[in-house]
Amino acid sequence: MTDGSVLVTGGSGFLAGHCILALLQAGHEVRTTLRSPGREAALRAELIAAGADLDGRFQVCAADLTADAGWAEAVAGCGRVLHVASPLSSAAPKHEDELIVPAREGTLRVLRAALAAGVGRVVLTSSFAAIGYGRILDRPFSESDWTDAAAPGLAAYPKSKTLAERAAWDFVDGEGRGLELAVINPVGIFGPVLGPDMSASILLVKAMLEGRLLALPRLMFGVVDVRDVADLHLRAMTEPAAANERFIATAGDFLTMQQIAQVLRDRLGPAAARVQTRLLPNWLVRLVAVFSAAARQAATPELGRSKTATSAKAQAMLGWEPRPAAEALAATGESLIRLGLVAR
């Protein structure tokens, strides 16, 4: 194992950007990958605007999850890797393999490159989507649980995260034996955006603030602040006990979309005047889903289902202390408004 730079994959992503900020603040030299080298200037500008001191400690490499080129160079001299990059579309893919194949094969590509380069530990960003879907429990979901990838109606994204994480564990149990793996399974990630590249959770808040969601389906999910998820990655990267462990990242009980909308109205005041809290009946969502791809994503087996998860393991083992969900949601809206990303 080398004690060199830390590689963060997919540096233009929402979470990856905050991981880079946290690593730089902690004094690490950081390298990141981008699919498009033309994105480097904008990424550097966003990091500097967020207060980062790059000072020769930040490097960008070109590499894509779907190809071998660039990965050996990206991991060379790195002691640890945060594999954050993963395909995610705001629209349902035409075929699930559009997400599954690059997620699974990209994860294995990064792990093989890390093993060959003598990297000591890889921290993989998985998702609660690999834990809490396709099944019903009468208790909070924990790290011992897995999504049923064969469950009827399971969407492509949770299936892709489940299969990619399974492949990672199989790798370190087999040909990658000796490479330490820690996995972070965050719920919906919110918090301050750095620029216009937005995750699905941020796009949800943006749509609410712009008044484009006139009524809300009866869906619920967890909330966690991106700064806390980045902090958990660093803790899992450095804590010896985190090797070969999974950690759920959630700020507390899951919230309904109606509760999320109400938090935005309460915390942002007049800036959230267009946020609607009306509910759509389940039957109407399912009816509209016959004609609308967007509605079909909401009319899943999760519609009307109550669930929650616990982050007790991360708090006990790594000393992790997440911000309240309301703070994460408010920070999302405030940053979108500050950066002029909410249409008026």
Side-chain angles (χ1 to χ4, degrees):
M1 173 180 174
T2 175
D3 292 324
S5 301
V6 179
L7 174 67
V8 179
T9 66
S12 62
F14 176 46
L15 173 59
H18 279 275
C19 286
I20 293 169
L21 284 173
L23 286 164
L24 290 170
Q25 186 176 18
H28 295 280
E29 294 186 359
V30 182
R31 189 179 299 164
T32 195
T33 61
L34 294 175
R35 284 184 301 171
S36 172
R39 183 71 180 81
E40 179 176 352
L43 174 59
R44 287 181 176 273
E46 289 171 7
L47 293 171
I48 291 170
D53 179 8
L54 304 185
D55 190 29
R57 295 186 295 122
F58 180 64
Q59 180 183 1
V60 174
C61 298
D64 191 313
L65 291 177
T66 63
D68 291 335
W71 287 107
E73 294 80 4
V75 298
C78 291
R80 287 157 291 192
V81 172
L82 305 186
H83 179 38
V84 184
S86 181
L88 174 58
S89 173
S90 58
K94 293 180 179 178
H95 191 280
E96 62 182 16
D97 282 349
E98 293 176 25
L99 286 180
I100 293 171
V101 172
R104 182 182 58 216
E105 298 307 315
T107 294
L108 292 174
R109 185 167 279 116
V110 172
L111 290 173
R112 290 189 180 108
L115 180 67
V119 169
R121 180 176 295 184
V122 175
V123 180
L124 169 66
T125 309
S126 183
S127 172
F128 177 74
I131 287 178
Y133 287 76
R135 22 185 339 211
I136 301 174
L137 298 181
D138 58 2
R139 58 167 174 80
F141 283 90
S142 71
E143 289 83 358
S144 64
D145 298 310
W146 280 89
T147 287
D148 179 3
L154 186 68
Y157 179 68
K159 186 178 289 189
S160 75
K161 298 303 287 189
T162 303
L163 296 177
E165 189 187 338
R166 289 281 197 189
W169 287 118
D170 288 344
F171 179 83
V172 297
D173 286 340
E175 65 178 287
R177 192 174 298 277
L179 177 66
E180 292 181 352
L181 179 67
V183 174
I184 309 300
N185 298 86
V187 295
I189 305 177
F190 296 84
V193 300
L194 303 179
D197 287 335
M198 300 181 213
S199 64
S201 56
I202 303 302
L203 289 172
L204 170 65
V205 174
K206 175 176 162 65
M208 286 181 170
L209 291 173
E210 291 174 346
R212 291 188 283 113
L213 296 184
L214 301 181
L216 307 172
R218 297 174 187 271
L219 294 171
M220 68 185 308
F221 44 87
V223 172
V224 68
D225 193 289
V226 65
R227 295 164 291 186
D228 296 325
V229 182
D231 173 60
L232 185 54
H233 277 70
L234 267 65
R235 291 171 185 264
M237 182 185 80
T238 55
E239 171 56 52
N244 305 313
E245 298 285 352
R246 305 171 90 195
F247 299 96
I248 291 176
T250 181
D253 290 339
F254 283 27
L255 302 178
T256 65
M257 288 184 67
Q258 186 182 49
Q259 289 172 318
I260 289 171
Q262 191 61 55
V263 168
L264 293 174
R265 291 179 65 88
D266 292 344
R267 296 292 294 263
L268 301 181
R274 290 184 288 178
V275 175
Q276 302 296 318
T277 58
R278 291 190 296 271
L279 284 173
L280 279 169
N282 292 349
W283 67 265
L284 183 56
V285 176
R286 295 189 175 103
L287 177 63
V288 174
V290 176
F291 310 99
S292 165
R296 277 195 294 276
Q297 291 192 81
T300 67
E302 302 299 316
L303 191 64
R305 180 176 294 177
S306 177
K307 68 170 66 173
T308 192
T310 176
S311 60
K313 180 178 176 180
Q315 295 182 51
M317 183 179 289
L318 303 181
W320 184 65
E321 297 182 5
R323 295 168 175 80
E327 186 175 332
L329 292 167
T332 308
E334 290 164 356
S335 65
L336 287 170
I337 294 167
R338 184 178 66 253
L339 295 178
L341 298 174
V342 176
R344 292 296 178 186

